[in-house]
Amino acid sequence: MRVLVTGATGFIGSRLIPELLAKGVAVRALTRNAARYGTAAGVEVMQGDVLDRASLSTALKKVDAAYYFVHSMSKDTRGTGLSFEERDRLGAQNFVDAAGEQGVKRIVYLGGLGDENDALSKHLLSRMEVGRVLASGQPALTTLHAALIIGAGGSSFEMLRYLTDRLPVMIAPKWLETRSQPIAVRDCLAYLAGCLFEDRTSGHTFDIGGPDIVTYRQLIGIYAQLRGLKRFIIGVPVLTPRLSSYWINLVTPVSAELARPLVDGLKNEMICHEQEILALLPLARTPIREAIRLAMKEPRPKTIRA
Ligand SMILES: NC(=O)c1ccc[n+]([C@@H]2O[C@H](COP(=O)([O-])OP(=O)(O)OC[C@H]3O[C@@H](n4cnc5c(N)ncnc54)[C@H](OP(=O)(O)O)[C@@H]3O)[C@@H](O)[C@H]2O)c1
């Protein structure tokens, strides 16, 4: 089986590739900058951009299945003048059209958890829309919806971790009390890889999460406790996402541009509404403390890019 992994340099894509190789899958990696990717044994590297339709036709030739891990939270490097939602939509449309044309049978997409009736942030709404666009094409789509993914280099996890490391006293707004169902990156990867070999996941959407539901205040508390840090969190009624993102930019390596959509999303509860994936891909899910402990053991990237 030959599989294209988009977002191959990212947090999820770069970790999924070795898992697929270990299962005997022929992997083709898509990146906008092949020189930066370098070489990796057994991986065919392809330069391409989801905003450039022609590059996708080449990348998707003779591919059986593809993973879609692209989001547009980074700068508009191509100078398209489009908003991030428009770029998200165009990228997904180009991708599903090219995949259909090349006869790709399946696409697996990792999006965000959230309830569309819940005044979702622009970023989460856009993630949902990408799912709808990808579902509208010829290939059968599997969508996995996840909340915060816990692992070194995950943008939301690193944002919370840097804030906790660097601020003995944290002033935080209402999102502290929002509940979430984070997932350990190893569990997320097990579901992503598992989908490829379980035909019953084809054409379906699943919520994926860890066994624990926690507020962000609890999450920060668990991390601080594991690090042996004493932290004080003072809740304030209002702190605009814009102000929070400037503040995060000052204190952490997360840019204001990336922090803004991440902070916006913290107001939305992210909890699994169904757990059907557990029956199809049984897994002893990693408890939250263990997930954080594992992430703390991993090498930590110095920059967090989107
Ligand atoms: N991280 C989390 O906690 C989390 C939680 C829930 C859901 N998710 C979802 O998981 C997916 C992957 O997230 P991630 O954390 O792995 O993201 P990430 O680390 O920021 O990686 C994003 C990737 O997208 C690629 N990319 C961006 N624009 C592109 C374009 N125009 N054309 C081609 N590639 C492009 C980048 O590759 P190059 O720069 O090499 O081209 C980069 O590798 C996303 O759909 C995200 O919404 C993530």
Side-chain angles (χ1 to χ4, degrees):
M1 187 184 336
R2 179 179 287 114
V3 169
L4 179 78
V5 179
T6 65
T9 59
F11 170 52
I12 296 297
S14 65
R15 288 170 182 254
L16 182 66
I17 288 174
E19 305 256 336
L20 296 176
L21 290 172
K23 289 182 186 298
V25 173
V27 175
R28 192 177 277 173
L30 188 85
T31 170
R32 288 168 298 174
N33 186 342
R36 193 174 58 200
Y37 189 92
T39 53
V43 179
E44 184 189 358
V45 183
M46 282 266 170
Q47 185 151 315
D49 189 321
V50 296
L51 299 177
D52 170 9
R53 172 79 159 71
S55 70
L56 294 179
S57 300
T58 315
L60 286 160
K61 267 199 178 77
K62 300 202 169 111
V63 159
D64 301 292
Y67 285 92
Y68 196 79
F69 297 141
V70 175
H71 63 74
S72 303
M73 285 198 288
S74 54
K75 275 201 184 105
D76 178 14
T77 43
R78 288 176 75 86
T80 60
L82 300 174
S83 67
F84 84 85
E85 296 102 318
E86 288 166 335
R87 281 182 284 136
D88 263 351
R89 193 181 310 133
L90 178 63
Q93 192 67 60
N94 282 341
F95 193 78
V96 77
D97 289 348
E101 236 172 62
Q102 296 302 326
V104 175
K105 291 180 211 69
R106 292 188 63 184
I107 297 177
V108 180
Y109 167 57
L110 178 62
L113 254 180
D115 184 342
E116 280 196 270
N117 303 317
D118 183 24
L120 290 182
S121 71
K122 277 194 201 172
H123 169 61
L124 286 174
L125 280 174
S126 182
R127 297 285 76 207
M128 301 269 172
E129 192 186 7
V130 164
R132 280 194 294 272
V133 173
L134 293 174
S136 69
Q138 204 69 30
L141 180 72
T142 301
T143 299
L144 301 183
H145 287 150
L148 184 146
I149 300 170
I150 297 184
S155 46
S156 303
F157 175 67
E158 292 296 356
M159 183 175 80
L160 292 174
R161 164 150 87 147
Y162 271 109
L163 285 173
T164 315
D165 282 344
R166 295 186 173 174
L167 298 174
V169 179
M170 201 188 295
I171 294 177
K174 280 193 294 199
W175 57 253
L176 267 180
E177 310 306 337
T178 309
R179 295 186 315 151
S180 173
Q181 192 169 352
I183 181 167
V185 66
R186 69 175 182 185
D187 295 357
C188 181
L189 295 174
Y191 287 134
L192 284 166
C195 280
L196 206 57
F197 301 97
E198 175 46 86
D199 283 343
R200 286 176 298 167
T201 61
S202 188
H204 296 282
T205 296
F206 303 93
D207 291 352
I208 60 169
D212 305 295
I213 294 174
V214 288
T215 63
Y216 290 112
R217 184 194 287 275
Q218 288 170 324
L219 193 68
I220 289 170
I222 296 170
Y223 172 71
Q225 195 189 41
L226 288 172
R227 284 260 354 247
L229 300 170
K230 275 223 167 323
R231 290 297 179 252
F232 299 94
I233 308 177
I234 303 169
V236 292
V238 191
L239 187 61
T240 65
R242 182 190 291 263
L243 204 60
S244 297
S245 60
Y246 290 147
W247 177 234
I248 288 164
N249 185 30
L250 269 180
V251 177
T252 79
V254 178
S255 68
E257 215 158 36
L258 175 57
R260 178 71 198 269
L262 295 180
V263 172
D264 268 346
L266 296 176
K267 70 173 197 272
N268 295 118
E269 200 162 87
M270 296 180 101
I271 292 179
C272 298
H273 295 109
E274 50 78 24
Q275 312 235 29
E276 284 168 32
I277 195 84
L278 294 178
L280 296 177
L281 299 171
L283 180 74
R285 295 177 299 164
T286 311
I288 185 86
R289 292 180 78 83
E290 180 60 9
I292 296 176
R293 211 191 311 270
L294 289 170
M296 286 165 62
K297 281 198 207 147
E298 295 176 329
R300 187 174 186 179
K302 289 196 178 60
T303 51
I304 311 297
R305 65 181 196 90

